[in-house]
Amino acid sequence: LAKTTQPISMDSYEGQEVNITCSHNNIATNDYITWYQQFPSQGPRFIIQGYKTKVTNEVASLFIPADRKSSTLSLPRVSLSDTAVYYCLVVIFSGGYNKLIFGAGTRLAVHP
Amino acid sequence: AAGVIQSPRHLIKEKRETATLKCYPIPRHDTVYWYQQGPGQDPQFLISFYEKMQSDKGSIPDRFSAQQFSDYHSELNMSSLELGDSALYFCASSFWLAGGKNTGELFFGEGSRLTVL
């Protein structure tokens, strides 16, 4: 099981770009990297997923270097509503279903 | 769009009582997951079901059991409740594209908050 390590907390200001880096040194060949966002008392919400290089969607970008031992979630121009916990997960595909093991996420606080 | 429905949203029980949580996945989703999240903690994987069969087991206590029914809804049964069982219980669902790659996207419900007094 690939263990992930990410900062416990980060602070930012409205309008800034936020980059959260996650390390996953023992990621397996078939594993994907996935990021989730969670607001207090709500279920986690999928943000983005990637295998290698760069993936971009309407809310974030995900950068994964060639060795795949780390990944960086980039949130452009954050707002107060981006204050949440962000989880980096390695998705293990096993027998036809996903297995998501949450580690310690990064608590992002966005200030005015 | 339809989301994952969990019931009840809030539940208060006494120690040693039993509780049942229900989860209705998004239509056509064939996989259901249960997670437990204690106060200030990260979600812990309990158990999952794929096509009505248990597919994986995490840190689920022996006092807990779960199943997925023919209509794909799932129930988490908790007996001999302890104070430490007080938590938010999330259900999530996903689907597997036959012959293709699945995504890592699990769709989570809003959770059921269990308080054990």
Side-chain angles (χ1 to χ4, degrees):
Chain A
L1 219 64
K3 181 176 170 9
T4 59
T5 303
Q6 52 185 118
I8 295 295
S9 64
M10 292 182 70
D11 288 275
S12 184
Y13 293 90
E14 284 189 292
Q16 289 190 334
E17 178 183 77
V18 171
N19 296 308
I20 307 174
T21 297
C22 174
S23 67
H24 25 79
N25 290 320
N26 56 340
I27 188 170
T29 302
N30 295 327
D31 293 342
Y32 280 66
I33 298 122
T34 304
W35 286 79
Y36 279 74
Q37 175 193 56
Q38 187 179 27
F39 297 112
S41 298
Q42 293 187 25
R45 187 172 69 104
F46 175 88
I47 301 175
I48 197 167
Q49 175 180 275
Y51 184 79
K52 60 181 177 181
T53 64
K54 178 183 174 181
V55 179
T56 298
N57 62 22
E58 61 275 10
V59 298
S61 294
L62 180 59
F63 300 90
I64 305 168
D67 66 6
R68 305 200 328 123
K69 293 183 184 299
S70 67
S71 60
T72 299
L73 174 73
S74 181
L75 304 172
R77 295 182 298 281
V78 294
S79 64
L80 296 176
S81 62
D82 292 317
T83 294
V85 179
Y86 292 82
Y87 292 97
C88 163
L89 301 100
V90 169
V91 179
I92 303 159
F93 293 102
S94 174
Y97 67 97
N98 301 325
K99 181 172 181 174
L100 265 63
I101 303 298
F102 287 83
T106 297
R107 295 181 182 278
L108 172 65
V110 179
H111 306 282
Chain B
V4 175
I5 306 296
Q6 292 188 244
S7 68
R9 293 296 309 279
H10 301 272
L11 191 60
I12 298 176
K13 290 287 185 178
E14 300 277 343
K15 277 171 47 178
R16 292 180 288 278
E17 286 191 319
T18 61
T20 296
L21 306 180
K22 296 185 178 183
C23 169
Y24 297 86
I26 292 173
R28 291 186 295 283
H29 281 198
D30 52 18
T31 308
V32 167
Y33 311 76
W34 286 97
Y35 287 84
Q36 177 193 57
Q37 187 170 30
Q41 297 181 3
D42 305 301
Q44 297 295 312
F45 172 71
L46 293 178
I47 196 167
S48 62
F49 293 87
Y50 171 58
E51 281 292 342
K52 294 157 279 183
M53 299 287 290
Q54 181 183 308
S55 51
D56 205 349
K57 199 169 179 179
S59 51
I60 184 169
D62 292 339
R63 300 177 288 107
F64 292 10
S65 64
Q67 58 181 323
Q68 186 179 31
F69 294 86
S70 58
D71 64 352
Y72 292 96
H73 95 272
S74 178
E75 294 184 6
L76 177 65
N77 300 296
M78 300 174 282
S79 62
S80 303
L81 288 170
E82 303 173 356
L83 296 178
D85 296 327
S86 295
L88 257 176
Y89 290 82
F90 290 108
C91 171
S93 72
S94 69
F95 66 95
W96 175 254
L97 300 171
K101 276 288 186 191
N102 199 346
T103 72
E105 185 166 5
L106 267 60
F107 296 81
F108 283 80
E110 290 301 310
S112 293
R113 184 177 294 281
L114 170 67
T115 302
V116 181
L117 302 176

